[in-house]
Amino acid sequence: QQVKKPDAVVKEALRVGRKVIIGFPNFAHYQARLQIFFKGKTPVTHSLPYEWHDTPNLHFLSISDFIEYCHQRDIKIKRSIFIGKNRTVKIFPNLFGMIGIFLVSNGKAAA
C-alpha cells in the first residue's frame, strides 16, 4: 500500500524471485469499518495508525482485494496468514484480520 505502482513492483518481484512475501494492513478490518460508518472519517487503528493527511499509505486495500488481484493476474497464493490484535485469525480474515501476509508465486511458473 506504500508503493506508487504496486502492479509493476509485484510483477518485477515475481520475475526476479520464485516466491514473494507480501504483507499489508487490512483496510476492511471491522474497527476500520466501524470508524468509517459511525464517524464518517478515514479510520485510525492499530494497524492503520496515521491520519489521512500524514499517511505513507497510497493504496488502501483489503484482504479480499488482494486475493482478487492475485486471481486476476494468475498469481498463485501459496500460503497466507492473518494477524489479529493478539492472535492469528482463522475465520473471516477480511473482517477480523488486521494484517494479511501472503506467500505468492507466479501461477505460470508454479504449474
Side-chain angles (χ1 to χ4, degrees):
Q1 81 279 6
Q2 296 178 352
V3 175
K4 287 189 184 203
K5 297 187 181 194
D7 210 28
V9 172
V10 170
K11 190 180 288 186
E12 180 65 8
L14 287 170
R15 185 190 69 77
V16 173
R18 291 164 62 157
K19 295 178 185 173
V20 176
I21 297 172
I22 299 173
F24 55 88
N26 178 23
F27 192 70
H29 182 266
Y30 80 91
Q31 289 177 339
R33 292 180 189 207
L34 289 173
Q35 284 188 37
I36 291 170
F37 183 77
F38 287 111
K39 294 182 178 180
K41 296 168 64 176
T42 305
V44 176
T45 66
H46 180 69
S47 61
L48 296 163
Y50 302 98
E51 297 283 338
W52 69 268
H53 55 84
D54 192 31
T55 182
N57 299 323
L58 301 174
H59 306 281
F60 294 100
L61 70 153
S62 70
I63 289 167
S64 293
D65 286 329
F66 186 74
I67 292 170
E68 182 179 320
Y69 168 88
C70 290
H71 179 73
Q72 291 172 345
R73 286 158 179 79
D74 197 27
I75 296 170
K76 182 171 172 122
I77 298 173
K78 307 286 270 175
R79 292 193 57 178
S80 57
I81 187 168
F82 311 105
I83 310 296
K85 189 168 184 177
N86 297 316
R87 60 181 172 79
T88 59
V89 173
K90 306 282 186 192
I91 300 172
F92 302 116
N94 199 53
L95 185 61
F96 297 117
M98 296 177 85
I99 297 172
I101 302 171
F102 294 85
L103 176 65
V104 299
S105 68
N106 187 327
K108 296 171 188 150

